[in-house]
Amino acid sequence: MEIRETIKEIKTQLRLSMNGITSAHQRKQGLDYKINFGVEIPRLKELASNYRKDRQLAEVLWAENIRESKLLAIFLYPTDEFTAETAEKWIDESPFTEIADHLCRNLLVSLGDAKEKALMLISDKSNMRRYCGYSTLSNLFRTGATLDPKEESLYLEALKETLDQTESSYLPTCNAAIISLTKYTEESRERAANICDKIEKWGISDNEAIKNLIQNIREEY
């Protein structure tokens, strides 16, 4: 009963915060939810701060095909209760990359084996799982995480396979892969040089995104 009342209260707040222009713009971009209130992220975080983090509440919110409910579910899920099993389930149920980005940034990075999990995801056949793997790695690299030689080998192998994809559906995943690599090479000149050398040997350096990446890394260092 308490959760039902909380959900009702949250939906009232969402209606009051609705932004029709943002909602319409997102629909034009293909973000086809059952309901999209167009509420901006800062407002959603402010709304989430009014409630205690609760796993059951988060799971009920996640089950709704409402953009804001899924985002609030991510903000309200206790990180110490978030498991690898729930992570896989929510990744597979993430309808769009906006949801996946916040899922990775707020919850996947909190897993005790987040780096190992991300490396498994980038080698998966599922496009969304790969996307989440790279997004999680980007967030980990931003906070100083690094890869040992074996992990780096797995990472680069998956990266090459991802960047070889030409289907338009893979574009967001390729972009996520490139962002992760940019973050990975930021902290070490030697690493950046070695990575560029390896990429150039792949034979896909005619890829415009790869060309720009190599050029940016070399110019940086």
Side-chain angles (χ1 to χ4, degrees):
M1 178 64 73
E2 182 181 345
I3 288 180
R4 269 192 237 130
E5 289 300 314
T6 301
I7 296 288
K8 183 178 178 181
E9 183 180 293
I10 287 173
K11 287 184 177 179
T12 298
Q13 292 300 315
L14 291 175
R15 290 187 185 94
L16 291 173
S17 303
M18 182 174 179
N19 185 323
I21 295 174
T22 300
S23 176
H25 176 67
Q26 290 178 339
R27 280 197 300 274
K28 284 182 181 178
Q29 290 182 315
L31 303 184
D32 188 23
Y33 298 91
K34 180 180 178 182
I35 299 175
N36 181 351
F37 292 102
V39 182
E40 297 178 348
I41 298 299
R43 172 56 184 148
L44 287 175
K45 288 184 175 180
E46 180 186 358
L47 181 57
S49 70
N50 295 324
Y51 299 92
R52 178 175 58 85
K53 291 195 173 187
D54 182 272
R55 178 179 57 80
Q56 288 183 307
L57 173 61
E59 288 176 346
V60 172
L61 284 167
W62 180 263
E64 302 259 13
N65 187 15
I66 301 172
R67 170 182 173 269
E68 289 74 14
S69 292
K70 289 194 180 297
L71 289 167
L72 284 170
I74 292 167
F75 300 149
L76 288 171
Y77 205 111
T79 55
D80 59 345
E81 295 182 39
F82 193 69
T83 65
E85 291 74 22
T86 303
E88 288 199 17
K89 180 177 183 291
W90 282 26
I91 288 170
D92 291 341
E93 293 174 355
S94 292
F96 304 107
T97 57
E98 180 193 25
I99 303 296
D101 285 336
H102 289 282
L103 177 60
C104 296
R105 188 179 304 126
N106 291 276
L107 293 175
L108 263 67
V109 294
S110 70
L111 294 171
D113 60 346
K115 183 173 65 171
E116 292 77 9
K117 184 68 176 174
L119 288 170
M120 288 177 60
L121 288 171
I122 63 175
S123 297
D124 200 280
K125 295 184 183 301
S126 161
N127 200 355
M128 181 58 81
R129 287 193 176 202
R130 286 191 178 195
Y131 181 90
C132 287
Y134 288 119
S135 182
T136 300
L137 285 173
S138 291
N139 285 287
L140 291 172
F141 293 152
R142 285 189 185 100
T143 59
T146 189
L147 304 175
D148 64 32
K150 183 178 179 181
E151 291 169 338
E152 184 178 287
S153 178
L154 291 171
Y155 171 62
L156 292 176
E157 183 180 339
L159 190 82
K160 180 180 183 299
E161 185 177 340
T162 297
L163 297 177
D164 271 336
Q165 301 296 326
T166 57
E167 298 92 335
S168 60
S169 62
Y170 252 84
L171 183 58
T173 304
C174 289
N175 289 338
I178 289 172
I179 291 170
S180 75
L181 187 58
T182 302
K183 294 300 174 187
Y184 183 56
T185 56
E186 277 183 350
E187 299 300 321
S188 169
R189 179 175 299 183
E190 181 181 1
R191 180 189 301 156
N194 288 338
I195 295 292
C196 284
D197 290 343
K198 289 176 181 178
I199 291 175
E200 287 175 331
K201 291 177 182 177
W202 288 350
I204 58 172
S205 56
D206 57 336
N207 180 307
E208 198 61 36
I210 297 299
K211 275 184 183 177
N212 292 335
L213 176 63
I214 292 174
Q215 181 179 347
N216 290 339
I217 291 173
R218 292 207 184 281
E219 286 178 355
E220 182 71 21
Y221 292 104

